[in-house]
Amino acid sequence: MKVFVIGIGLIGGSMVLDIKDLYPHATIYGIDTNEKHLDQAIELGVIDEMATFTDLIHADFVIVSVPVDVALTVVPQVLESIGDQTIVFEVGSTKLPICEAIANHAKRRNFIATHPIAGTEFSGPSAAIKGLFQGKTNIICEVEKTTFKLQERALALFQEMGMRIRYMDPKSHDKHIAYVSHLSHISAFMLGKTVIDKEKHEQDIFDMAGSGFESTVRLAKSSPAMWTPIFKQNRKQVVKTLNEYILNLSKFKELLENEDYEAIYNEMESVNKIKEILNGMNVKK
Amino acid sequence: MKVFVIGIGLIGGSMVLDIKDLYPHATIYGIDTNEKHLDQAIELGVIDEMATFTDLIHADFVIVSVPVDVALTVVPQVLESIGDQTIVFEVGSTKLPICEAIANHAKRRNFIATHPIAGTEFSGPSAAIKGLFQGKTNIICEVEKTTFKLQERALALFQEMGMRIRYMDPKSHDKHIAYVSHLSHISAFMLGKTVIDKEKHEQDIFDMAGSGFESTVRLAKSSPAMWTPIFKQNRKQVVKTLNEYILNLSKFKELLENEDYEAIYNEMESVNKIKEILNGMNVKK
């Protein structure tokens, strides 16, 4: 089995680590514009060999795991280069733009649009970890547009990695993911900014930070190179979620200004049910 | 050694678990208005016996770990009831109101105002865990107002629990903690609200939530009974941090509306240094 990974970071790297574990005889080829990442990926055993686009003709699987803006150019190029039985999937956090970009491509049926919801705040080949996808959700968009036999092979692989499969149209995916992923990132980045700005004038604030702050701000460690194009591609939805979030924060602030503590209590109590929701998430895992 | 804990929850319960571990011959007495919590605390081995305020005359240590509004009434009552060598400390998340409330109390010198920064999102006796304070920061306010010998005994105990001690005036404590703790809680609560409100109309959003969302929203599981009086007591500071946070979110939204992706990239990159800050936090632990 020949597996190619284009963009060797957290998601692509972790996928090929799992594949190598499942199929020890598979050869993992890496393509990356960042030479340091290529060297590092070989050194870490994430890939076996470097490769180029002309090698893709022999590929069984091609994983495209590059920033979502780059994917719009890379995926069509990949589709030009592959063989008839090659399966290509792209794993970015937006799905509508890529689905639109290759909608009329001659090799559309070799492509599967996926979003394995399994990020961490780290990036690059050193962020790749085995077993990352165990119990995680993989959203697949427009599954009907992929050749049935290739679809089947890809699904088998995702399931072997331990992923739960959910089907969704790309528009709904992008709308919903804005709430549970894109908004969380902005919320964390701006929380980090608010506290860092304050720390400039007031020393030692971070000395007082506990695990609660750490948890809430964790995503502010994420890569701007990865996230800027995500926000760009999903701009309208992200702005909408931001409007709703800012409105809720402003209302809470108003309750506090008006000293309406009963309403504040009720607001928090009604959100407490997030416990059961998150527990549900963990049960599914 | 006789140790009393008034309000047997996460912080008080965890403290007496550590004390019992350090001093196996200590007797732990519990006082709580919630009878179920008392029974549960005995069953779980968090306390040895139930007690009343009249027993406090024999206490070596009294830990007051009740909601911060209740503390304003309970601490003076406790100080009325203790012996000359009893040390009383209160562990809430605001420090100015309690310091003001007992400023002129005849037993002020038996009191230490502390804030062990070691919460989790859970509450009640079942939330108590051994070793919670290992490597955590304990802020002590107005240390000079406590009798030196009692101060010394309390500090020794905190250090035996593994805590790092920081001294701060209560006003600065309340101002700074608004940024690294109180704001994080509101940010998480309102993020949870925004997504729950959306989920009412759009099924299956939570099916798409990953560990990033879980981390960012974790504090929204916190107890409204504990947090409402904290926000009340620290209202002015919390409103200030909320204004700054909302302003930062609004500016980010504006950059997105204006499609200024370079500025968005730079914003995120400048916040990325939170990595080193959080790593610093972990090194200290």
Side-chain angles (χ1 to χ4, degrees):
Chain A
M1 188 157 85
K2 292 184 178 200
V3 179
F4 287 69
V5 53
I6 304 180
I8 312 159
L10 168 71
I11 298 291
S14 298
M15 279 205 163
V16 292
L17 283 178
D18 277 358
I19 293 173
K20 192 77 181 178
D21 208 38
L22 291 160
Y23 299 96
H25 297 296
T27 308
I28 313 292
Y29 299 90
I31 297 177
D32 206 307
T33 50
N34 182 328
E35 282 187 30
K36 272 189 198 163
H37 278 186
L38 278 171
D39 291 336
Q40 204 184 351
I42 288 186
E43 212 170 282
L44 292 165
V46 175
I47 64 168
D48 298 310
E49 288 178 35
M50 301 182 192
T52 63
F53 274 61
T54 54
D55 303 316
L56 294 176
I57 189 81
H58 306 296
D60 291 292
F61 288 100
V62 183
I63 303 163
V64 182
S65 42
V66 296
V68 291
D69 54 339
V70 181
L72 300 184
T73 341
V74 166
V75 172
Q77 283 171 358
V78 169
L79 293 177
E80 304 295 336
S81 315
I82 58 171
D84 281 344
Q85 298 304 313
T86 306
I87 300 165
V88 180
F89 50 91
E90 188 274 333
V91 297
S93 189
T94 51
K95 292 272 75 74
L96 189 59
I98 187 67
C99 284
E100 284 179 348
I102 50 101
N104 300 313
H105 197 285
K107 285 272 176 64
R108 173 64 187 89
R109 299 187 68 76
N110 292 65
F111 179 77
I112 300 192
T114 65
H115 181 195
I117 300 175
T120 73
E121 66 276 30
F122 306 111
S123 49
S126 62
I129 45 175
K130 223 181 270 183
L132 179 67
F133 305 101
Q134 195 63 47
K136 303 293 166 62
T137 302
N138 193 14
I139 311 278
I140 298 186
C141 295
E142 301 187 333
V143 69
E144 69 286 353
K145 295 198 176 170
T146 310
T147 304
F148 187 68
K149 275 195 183 166
L150 301 186
Q151 204 186 101
E152 218 173 24
R153 276 172 50 207
L155 286 178
L157 186 68
F158 297 147
Q159 274 155 358
E160 283 169 329
M161 287 180 191
M163 291 199 267
R164 303 183 308 128
I165 309 294
R166 292 288 180 272
Y167 299 100
M168 201 172 264
D169 69 279
K171 210 168 170 176
S172 300
H173 169 275
D174 289 7
K175 197 165 104 180
H176 293 176
I177 206 73
Y179 284 90
V180 286
S181 167
H182 304 175
L183 178 60
S184 302
H185 281 78
I186 298 174
S187 141
F189 269 111
M190 291 303 104
L191 179 66
K193 181 185 167 71
T194 306
V195 180
I196 287 173
D197 282 355
K198 193 66 192 171
E199 174 79 351
K200 279 180 201 155
H201 307 289
E202 309 276 355
Q203 291 300 306
D204 306 325
I205 284 190
F206 286 107
D207 225 34
M208 299 173 71
S211 59
F213 176 71
E214 204 175 346
S215 167
T216 318
V217 86
R218 180 169 71 87
L219 297 177
K221 302 180 200 171
S222 304
S223 154
M226 179 180 154
W227 280 94
T228 306
I230 293 174
F231 295 144
K232 183 176 176 178
Q233 287 192 359
N234 209 20
R235 187 169 71 94
K236 283 190 189 161
Q237 292 302 331
V238 173
V239 166
K240 190 165 170 289
T241 65
L242 265 173
N243 274 328
E244 293 171 20
Y245 184 50
I246 292 169
L247 188 67
N248 283 327
L249 286 163
S250 302
K251 278 187 194 159
F252 192 93
K253 183 173 71 92
E254 217 169 283
L255 292 177
L256 203 51
E257 283 169 335
N258 298 337
E259 305 208 47
D260 188 348
Y261 299 111
E262 197 185 328
I264 285 175
Y265 183 100
N266 293 339
E267 275 286 82
M268 289 193 281
E269 197 182 37
S270 75
V271 182
N272 268 175
K273 71 175 176 211
I274 202 92
K275 275 181 215 173
E276 286 79 53
I277 295 169
L278 295 176
N279 283 347
M281 273 173 55
N282 289 329
V283 169
K284 286 183 311 197
K285 284 177 196 169
Chain B
M1 190 159 82
K2 293 186 179 197
V3 179
F4 287 71
V5 53
I6 304 181
I8 313 158
L10 167 72
I11 298 292
S14 299
M15 280 205 162
V16 292
L17 283 178
D18 278 358
I19 292 173
K20 192 77 181 178
D21 209 38
L22 291 161
Y23 299 97
H25 296 298
T27 308
I28 312 293
Y29 300 90
I31 297 178
D32 206 308
T33 51
N34 183 327
E35 284 187 26
K36 271 189 199 163
H37 278 185
L38 278 170
D39 292 337
Q40 205 185 350
I42 288 187
E43 211 169 286
L44 292 165
V46 174
I47 63 168
D48 297 311
E49 289 178 33
M50 300 180 193
T52 64
F53 274 61
T54 54
D55 303 315
L56 293 177
I57 189 80
H58 307 295
D60 293 291
F61 287 101
V62 183
I63 303 163
V64 182
S65 43
V66 296
V68 291
D69 54 339
V70 181
L72 298 185
T73 341
V74 165
V75 173
Q77 284 171 359
V78 169
L79 293 177
E80 303 297 337
S81 317
I82 57 172
D84 281 346
Q85 298 304 313
T86 306
I87 300 165
V88 180
F89 51 90
E90 187 274 333
V91 297
S93 188
T94 51
K95 292 272 75 70
L96 189 59
I98 187 66
C99 284
E100 284 179 347
I102 50 103
N104 301 311
H105 198 286
K107 287 271 177 65
R108 173 64 186 89
R109 298 186 69 75
N110 292 66
F111 178 76
I112 300 193
T114 65
H115 181 196
I117 300 175
T120 73
E121 67 276 29
F122 305 112
S123 48
S126 62
I129 45 175
K130 225 181 269 182
L132 179 66
F133 305 100
Q134 196 62 50
K136 303 294 165 62
T137 301
N138 193 16
I139 311 278
I140 298 186
C141 295
E142 301 187 334
V143 70
E144 69 286 354
K145 297 198 177 173
T146 310
T147 303
F148 186 70
K149 276 197 182 165
L150 301 185
Q151 208 188 97
E152 219 174 23
R153 276 171 50 207
L155 287 178
L157 187 67
F158 297 147
Q159 273 156 0
E160 283 169 328
M161 287 180 190
M163 293 199 265
R164 303 184 307 129
I165 310 296
R166 291 290 179 272
Y167 299 100
M168 199 171 266
D169 69 279
K171 210 168 171 176
S172 299
H173 169 276
D174 289 8
K175 197 167 103 180
H176 293 177
I177 205 72
Y179 283 91
V180 285
S181 168
H182 304 174
L183 178 59
S184 302
H185 281 79
I186 298 174
S187 138
F189 269 111
M190 292 303 104
L191 179 66
K193 182 185 166 73
T194 307
V195 179
I196 287 173
D197 283 355
K198 193 67 192 171
E199 173 80 352
K200 279 180 200 154
H201 307 289
E202 309 277 355
Q203 292 299 306
D204 305 324
I205 284 190
F206 286 106
D207 226 34
M208 298 172 73
S211 59
F213 176 72
E214 203 174 348
S215 168
T216 317
V217 86
R218 180 170 71 87
L219 297 177
K221 301 180 199 170
S222 303
S223 154
M226 180 182 152
W227 280 94
T228 305
I230 292 174
F231 295 143
K232 184 176 177 179
Q233 288 191 359
N234 209 20
R235 188 170 69 92
K236 283 188 189 163
Q237 292 303 330
V238 173
V239 166
K240 190 167 169 287
T241 65
L242 265 173
N243 274 328
E244 293 170 22
Y245 184 49
I246 291 169
L247 187 67
N248 282 328
L249 286 163
S250 302
K251 278 187 198 160
F252 192 93
K253 182 173 72 91
E254 216 169 282
L255 292 177
L256 203 50
E257 283 168 335
N258 299 337
E259 306 209 45
D260 188 347
Y261 299 112
E262 198 184 328
I264 286 176
Y265 183 100
N266 292 338
E267 275 286 83
M268 289 194 281
E269 198 182 34
S270 74
V271 182
N272 268 175
K273 71 174 175 211
I274 202 88
K275 272 182 217 172
E276 286 80 50
I277 295 169
L278 295 175
N279 283 348
M281 272 175 56
N282 290 329
V283 169
K284 287 180 314 194
K285 285 175 195 167

